[in-house]
Amino acid sequence: MPYPTDRERDRPWVIRTYAGHSSAAKSNELYRRNLAKGQTGLSVAFDLPTQTGYDPDDELARGEVGKVGVPISHLGDMRTLFDGIPLAGANTSMTINAPAMWLLALYVAVAEEQGADRAQLAGTTQNDIVKEYLSRGTYVFPPAPSMRLITDMIAWSYTNIPKWNPINICSYHLQEAGATPAQELAYSLSTAIAVLDSVRDSGQVPAAEFGRVVGRISFFVNAGLRFVEEMCKMRALAQLWDEITRERYGITDAKTRRLRYGVQVNSLGLTEAQPENNVQRIVLEMLAVTLSRDARARAVQLPAWNEALGLPRPWDQQWALRMQQVLAFETDLLEYEDLFDGSRVVEAKVADLVEGARVEIDRVQEMGGAVAAVESGYMKGELVRSLAARRRRIESGDDVVVGVNRFETTEPSPLQADGAGAIEVVDPAMEYAAVEAIRVWRAGRDAATVAVALDDLRDAALKDSMGTDANLMEASIACAKAGVTTGEWTGALREVFGEFRAPTGVAAAVASEAVGEIATVRARVRATGDELHQRLRMLVGKPGLDGHSNGAEQVAVRARDVGFEVIYQGIRLTPAQIVAAAVQEGVHVVGLSILSGSHLEVVPAVVEGLRAAGVDDVPVVVGGIIPPDDAAALRERGVAAVFTPKDYQLTGMMDEIVTLVRAAQGL
């Protein structure tokens, strides 16, 4: 987007809606409707199997197919997703990280089928794996080979698809994982430094052309409700990015150093209680990234009012789209120079944020950079600690959440009068159809061509691991055109690179003081343990592919605070693995966290597995975004209790769990 230097009206940002679910065909219909309503860019949400490199028929994909995004398993799916949408003229954002190279390869292959020149393609791949280790959990490979994939993508993109942003340094999920504004700035910029250092040191980009790489680096940020502070955060990010690119990388062109970022406003702050309040929350958060012309987002996507309840319907997404259009086209916001230039208040706040971020950046650099700070568990531990502090402020009422911990009296909402009809529900038949479709796809392709393409991919990966030059992007495009599936591409690289399990950060969280309600519940836990002649043990599990572990980690921290011995093994476990751990550890309660919508499939599998193992006295409790009808169905199938975002008092939750344990043990 151009940045006018005179007083003419600024152009609006790219207006997007983050969308995709069920199948490529249904998502294509949704994209066409949204474009017809005035959306100016596409933002593709992929389902969790796609994000973590599994095909729909993999065991770990059970219950996850098409739930939080669109399943893309091969070239045919990508072809269907963009049917009737000319990619030469599109601006497409793809929220994909570990398999970002693969999805970009599929996108390029489809664009070439349409007759598009690679150089015409415009858009963004998120491709920020560092924050996946810290917050969202859709990583696959260890940090070093993950950084290699990112480096190869950037080096290939700057010559082949020069209008494309090959990486979107993403601080969005850092904020949702607990990051303060200074931490959000520091950790995202530390990631940017790690990426640029890797590209520079790879030797794939001539030094004279390195500025072209810097100029295509973009950011994807989160904007919360403290919108004055959030606006100052963006001005601070622009200042720090200009400083880093000038001083560390010697970029002299001011245009190349300019901060380029897109935004989705905060989803963590959306509430299940009185969800109509989310409308004003979303609008206020949008102002944080649009009011300041010198630090204005160039692409915006907004959540829908009911995302704390489930998947938004097309009408809900339309409402979020219209919010952007009213601000961009009905107000006079775009007619003025920056509104905050010369403000002493803003300048002081920006300076404070810059200083705090510099201190933390220096700390991370002293550790060896962002990758080292991930591997040591430092950054994850800091985020868990910050989020625990935020949770305590909400529980105490120091941080007010309207409709949740204050002003709770409410009238019935007409927006929710339809009950389960107030959200989009993915038909379970979609998963069965996807499983059958990928079997048909495999049967209909040339097996020899697929085998050769995968061998070439493995060979390219191995060559570079031995110190020779091999960029994996062209090998991935060849795999796409040969009909390789998402699971096969990822599986081939798993064979070479291995897998990784990131630190959970739970051990680093500061314990809450044993006073008040915590002391009372701790006494109950101790007394129950004394009666059973053993310490109470709680297994916190994340079944399936949902990597949003913030809630599970906070439950684990609070369970530890009240005296439970906590077994928490992190994300991405099968029901069978959770059952085996519960039996082996002799736990007294199993707590499952699910945010992806797969609860009706994976939770009963855990309950049934425990009963099959002869464990009848261990209650299973579940937490997550679970509609009331689904909660009732889970209780009918043996779940002892269901907690949703409105149950924000974690200590009270622990008290209920102790009661369930006592009842199960006959005390």
Side-chain angles (χ1 to χ4, degrees):
M1 285 293 174
Y3 287 72
T5 55
D6 56 21
R7 297 186 64 84
E8 70 182 26
R9 182 180 173 89
D10 198 1
R11 289 192 182 185
W13 48 89
V14 176
I15 297 175
R16 292 189 173 117
T17 302
Y18 183 56
H21 66 81
S22 300
S23 69
K26 285 194 170 294
S27 297
N28 174 263
E29 293 172 8
L30 180 60
Y31 295 166
R32 290 196 194 194
R33 288 203 304 271
N34 286 346
L35 289 170
K37 293 172 183 174
Q39 185 172 299
T40 55
L42 294 172
S43 181
V44 181
F46 296 99
D47 74 351
L48 287 173
T50 305
Q51 292 184 49
T52 49
Y54 293 102
D55 288 334
D57 56 350
D58 192 281
E59 179 188 7
L60 272 168
R62 180 184 175 192
E64 306 279 16
V65 178
K67 288 288 175 63
V68 301
V70 57
I72 299 296
S73 302
H74 47 70
L75 184 63
D77 285 342
M78 189 66 90
R79 191 182 291 139
T80 300
L81 185 66
F82 291 105
D83 181 42
I85 301 174
L87 297 186
N91 190 307
T92 305
S93 171
M94 295 192 284
T95 301
I96 194 75
N97 295 285
M101 178 180 284
W102 173 241
L103 273 299
L104 180 59
L106 291 172
Y107 189 87
V108 170
V110 169
E112 291 182 341
E113 285 184 350
Q114 293 183 355
D117 180 354
R118 288 178 176 180
Q120 294 176 296
L121 302 181
T124 302
T125 32
Q126 191 167 102
N127 201 24
D128 178 358
I129 202 64
V130 171
K131 59 90 179 176
E132 295 298 321
Y133 299 126
L134 298 176
S135 55
R136 194 162 163 268
T138 66
Y139 54 81
V140 176
F141 313 112
S146 293
M147 192 61 74
R148 181 207 163 175
L149 290 172
I150 292 170
T151 299
D152 281 3
M153 268 187 69
I154 293 172
W156 182 88
S157 297
Y158 101 97
T159 53
N160 288 275
I161 45 175
K163 295 181 180 180
W164 194 270
N165 302 317
I167 188 169
N168 213 319
I169 307 294
C170 182
S171 69
Y172 177 87
H173 298 96
L174 300 182
Q175 184 179 122
E176 297 210 333
T180 64
Q183 288 174 327
E184 189 179 342
L185 291 168
Y187 296 162
S188 58
L189 287 167
S190 294
T191 298
I193 290 169
V195 167
L196 285 176
D197 283 0
S198 179
V199 174
R200 179 194 61 195
D201 298 344
S202 74
Q204 296 187 64
V205 178
E209 298 185 26
F210 193 67
R212 289 175 56 194
V213 171
V214 173
R216 298 316 302 179
I217 301 294
S218 62
F219 290 78
F220 186 75
V221 305
N222 198 332
L225 269 170
R226 293 173 58 83
F227 72 92
V228 175
E229 182 176 56
E230 294 291 294
M231 183 273 296
C232 291
K233 179 187 76 180
M234 299 319 307
R235 291 172 71 96
L237 180 57
Q239 180 178 325
L240 285 164
W241 182 239
D242 182 83
E243 178 183 298
I244 289 168
T245 53
R246 183 180 66 252
E247 296 180 4
R248 188 179 183 95
Y249 301 108
I251 305 301
T252 56
D253 181 10
K255 184 178 180 181
T256 301
R257 298 197 308 267
R258 182 179 291 138
L259 174 70
R260 301 163 60 252
Y261 78 95
V263 64
Q264 163 134 340
V265 305
N266 191 288
S267 295
L268 179 68
L270 303 184
T271 63
E272 177 189 16
Q274 299 181 28
E276 62 276 7
N277 294 334
N278 294 331
V279 175
Q280 53 263 35
R281 291 186 177 108
I282 292 166
V283 171
L284 290 170
E285 290 166 346
M286 177 172 53
L287 292 179
V289 293
T290 54
L291 281 176
S292 175
R293 182 173 182 174
D294 292 345
R296 181 173 293 149
R298 302 316 298 178
V300 177
Q301 56 193 46
L302 303 181
W305 69 276
N306 56 350
E307 287 196 19
L309 308 176
L311 189 67
R313 300 159 298 184
W315 183 85
D316 306 313
Q317 292 194 335
Q318 175 183 297
W319 194 358
L321 173 64
R322 297 296 186 239
M323 292 177 196
Q324 292 201 57
Q325 291 168 328
V326 168
L327 179 63
F329 298 108
E330 291 193 27
T331 77
D332 60 349
L333 174 65
L334 300 181
E335 297 175 11
Y336 297 97
E337 300 296 322
D338 197 289
L339 304 177
F340 302 99
D341 283 349
S343 166
R344 290 177 298 166
V345 173
V346 169
E347 289 175 358
K349 185 61 179 178
V350 170
D352 180 61
L353 290 170
V354 165
E355 181 58 30
R358 281 186 184 137
V359 169
E360 193 63 14
I361 291 170
D362 290 345
R363 184 176 292 118
V364 170
Q365 294 308 305
E366 288 169 5
M367 294 178 180
V371 171
V374 165
E375 293 173 329
S376 69
Y378 168 74
M379 287 201 289
K380 180 64 173 178
E382 290 300 294
L383 294 177
V384 173
R385 183 181 292 115
S386 294
L387 186 56
R390 182 197 293 169
R391 296 282 321 196
R392 287 193 290 268
R393 292 195 302 272
I394 292 174
E395 289 177 292
S396 68
D398 291 340
D399 284 3
V400 174
V401 183
V402 173
V404 174
N405 63 3
R406 195 181 296 184
F407 314 118
E408 299 163 61
T409 302
T410 183
E411 299 295 331
S413 170
L415 291 175
Q416 296 177 271
D418 293 336
I423 57 173
E424 185 81 27
V425 178
V426 175
D427 187 344
M430 288 291 177
E431 180 165 323
Y432 306 133
V435 169
E436 180 59 27
I438 198 165
R439 291 172 180 166
V440 171
W441 175 267
R442 292 192 193 111
R445 63 193 182 172
D446 186 292
T449 302
V450 169
V452 169
L454 287 171
D455 284 343
D456 289 346
L457 178 68
R458 291 188 196 93
D459 187 49
L462 283 166
K463 277 183 179 178
D464 193 77
S465 67
M466 294 185 293
T468 56
D469 184 25
N471 189 301
L472 288 169
M473 193 65 208
E474 288 293 350
S476 295
I477 294 174
C479 283
K481 293 180 177 180
V484 167
T485 70
T486 297
E488 290 167 343
W489 180 88
T490 312
L493 293 183
R494 280 190 175 102
E495 293 175 25
V496 179
F497 296 152
E499 291 192 79
F500 185 72
R501 185 161 288 276
T504 67
V506 169
V510 178
S512 299
E513 292 185 54
V515 296
E517 188 180 13
I518 288 181
T520 301
V521 177
R522 182 178 290 185
R524 289 194 73 204
V525 169
R526 184 183 301 112
T528 303
D530 289 344
E531 291 180 64
L532 295 173
H533 305 293
Q534 56 184 308
R535 187 177 177 188
L536 288 193
R537 288 184 293 280
M538 179 177 184
L539 173 68
V540 177
K542 288 285 297 178
L545 297 176
D546 171 30
H548 288 84
S549 59
N550 304 331
E553 288 154 3
Q554 293 307 310
V555 167
V557 169
R558 188 57 54 86
R560 184 194 64 189
D561 288 347
V562 299
F564 278 95
E565 180 181 337
V566 177
I567 296 93
Y568 176 57
Q569 298 171 321
I571 64 171
R572 215 175 300 166
L573 300 170
T574 66
Q577 288 172 323
I578 291 173
V579 169
V583 173
Q584 181 178 348
E585 297 287 349
V587 301
H588 301 92
V589 61
V590 172
L592 304 178
S593 171
I594 302 252
L595 296 172
S596 65
S598 63
H599 43 268
L600 290 179
E601 291 82 9
V602 297
V603 172
V606 173
V607 175
E608 292 159 11
L610 287 170
R611 302 304 173 252
V615 180
D616 298 317
D617 58 353
V618 173
V620 175
V621 301
V622 183
I625 298 176
I626 301 174
D629 291 350
D630 289 1
L634 289 174
R635 284 189 285 266
E636 288 176 3
R637 298 186 68 176
V639 171
V642 177
F643 301 100
T644 64
K646 69 178 183 299
D647 302 303
Y648 69 96
Q649 290 283 3
L650 293 184
T651 306
M653 184 189 303
M654 292 300 131
D655 196 37
E656 289 185 50
I657 290 172
V658 175
T659 300
L660 292 172
V661 170
R662 293 184 63 84
Q665 295 291 331
L667 300 179

